[in-house]
Amino acid sequence: MASECLFCRIATGEIPSARVAESARCVAFRDVSPQAPVHVLVIPKAHVSSLDDVADDSLTAELLAMARDVARAEGLVDRGYRVVINTNVEGGQTVFHLHLHVLGGRRMQWPPG
Ligand code: AMP
């Protein structure tokens, strides 16, 4: 764990969050500044800085499966939803602990800004 990392501290519970799902390696919690009626972040508990830093792609698959399960649990599947992974600066990443955004409950626009 990187002790100064915000999402590491959320993963341990040191910083509170509204959790919606948890497994041995991953946790999902509501974004503090939601950009849609449903906005959940899915993260690995262990520190991984970005998608490009994942060493074990079984973790990538587990994160994506949790994002899908969150979308199902939030009732987003029929209307549709979006999963986003902002990666590094031009990708819009601001917190350097890998996270998947699960966004839904409104019509998404394309292209993204
Ligand atoms: P990104 O810009 O892709 O790195 O996304 C970082 C996300 O983390 C943003 O959507 C923030 O609103 C969210 N965020 C920052 N601090 C917290 C927090 N303490 N709890 C939940 N979400 C947070």
Side-chain angles (χ1 to χ4, degrees), residues 8-52:
C8 283
R9 296 169 76 194
I10 286 177
T12 62
E14 181 189 341
I15 291 178
S17 67
R19 289 192 181 206
V20 298
E22 184 168 3
S23 68
R25 290 200 292 177
C26 307
V27 62
F29 54 95
R30 296 196 191 281
D31 196 292
V32 76
S33 176
Q35 302 302 307
V38 175
H39 188 172
V40 171
L41 302 175
V42 181
I43 67 169
K45 290 180 176 175
H47 186 79
V48 177
S49 295
S50 80
L51 180 62
D52 196 62

Side-chain angles (χ1 to χ4, degrees), residues 38-111:
V38 175
H39 188 172
V40 171
L41 302 175
V42 181
I43 67 169
K45 290 180 176 175
H47 186 79
V48 177
S49 295
S50 80
L51 180 62
D52 196 62
D53 297 294
V54 180
D56 170 5
D57 277 334
S58 74
L59 178 64
T60 318
E62 192 174 324
L63 289 162
L64 194 55
M66 183 174 279
R68 176 205 59 205
D69 292 346
V70 165
R72 286 179 180 162
E74 296 287 325
L76 298 176
V77 174
D78 287 348
R79 288 177 61 190
Y81 63 95
R82 185 171 289 178
V83 177
V84 173
I85 307 175
N86 296 326
T87 304
N88 289 336
V89 173
E90 288 201 1
Q93 186 173 5
T94 60
V95 176
F96 286 86
H97 180 128
L98 173 61
H99 51 282
L100 286 65
H101 296 257
V102 181
L103 296 148
R106 67 168 171 82
R107 180 124 195 146
M108 299 294 154
Q109 306 299 312
W110 194 263

